[in-house]
Amino acid sequence: MKALSALIAAAALFGGIQLFHGGSGESVANEAAPSNSYRLVANGDEAVCAVSRGAEISDGLSLLTVAPKCRRLLPGIEQAKFWREQNDGTVAFSANGVDPIVTFAAADGNGYESYAPALPLLSLAAIGDSKSGD
């Protein structure tokens, strides 16, 4: 009877550990949180500035802070106040939450590359990402 009680206790302990770890063998606490700070680069490191994704306002729409010097990369981008992430993975920066100033598509790795407007070509990479150069 003691062996059965010990077996049940061990099974409960193992189940609790698996529940805490999500069954993956890794701790949920050890998962990396997505970055909210990004490095915006124009035309292969000609100019660089910082942008930060803020609090989510609604589904896919977040506040955005664009450094004033980003104007050197794309005039008008410093007016962007919103980050909109679409279901297809594209990201748009806008002043009003609707009309995009610049639109990005997912690039190789964890970054984004602009496709509208066509020029200048902008890349957006999370700070701390090994491809961002930081």
Side-chain angles (χ1 to χ4, degrees):
M1 194 61 160
K2 284 186 176 184
L4 181 60
S5 296
L7 183 60
I8 291 172
L13 179 62
F14 179 77
I17 290 171
Q18 287 299 310
L19 181 64
F20 177 75
H21 289 290
S24 67
E26 293 184 19
S27 172
V28 174
N30 290 335
E31 291 180 16
S35 177
N36 288 329
S37 297
Y38 295 85
R39 181 174 179 244
L40 188 62
V41 180
N43 296 329
D45 289 334
E46 277 184 23
V48 177
C49 71
V51 298
S52 298
R53 183 178 183 179
E56 188 170 344
I57 298 171
S58 64
D59 191 34
L61 185 66
S62 301
L63 294 175
L64 177 69
T65 303
V66 177
K69 75 178 194 173
C70 290
R71 178 171 175 41
R72 291 185 292 170
L73 280 68
L74 177 66
I77 196 170
E78 75 281 2
Q79 297 172 12
K81 303 293 181 217
F82 299 97
W83 168 302
R84 178 172 297 280
E85 189 162 350
Q86 303 293 334
N87 291 336
D88 63 0
T90 59
V91 170
F93 292 178
S94 68
N96 60 9
V98 179
D99 302 313
I101 295 170
V102 61
T103 306
F104 299 89
D108 293 338
N110 293 327
Y112 299 90
E113 289 184 354
S114 66
Y115 66 88
L119 292 175
L121 179 62
L122 302 173
S123 64
L124 184 66
I127 293 178
D129 178 11
S130 61
K131 295 187 180 209
S132 72
D134 290 337

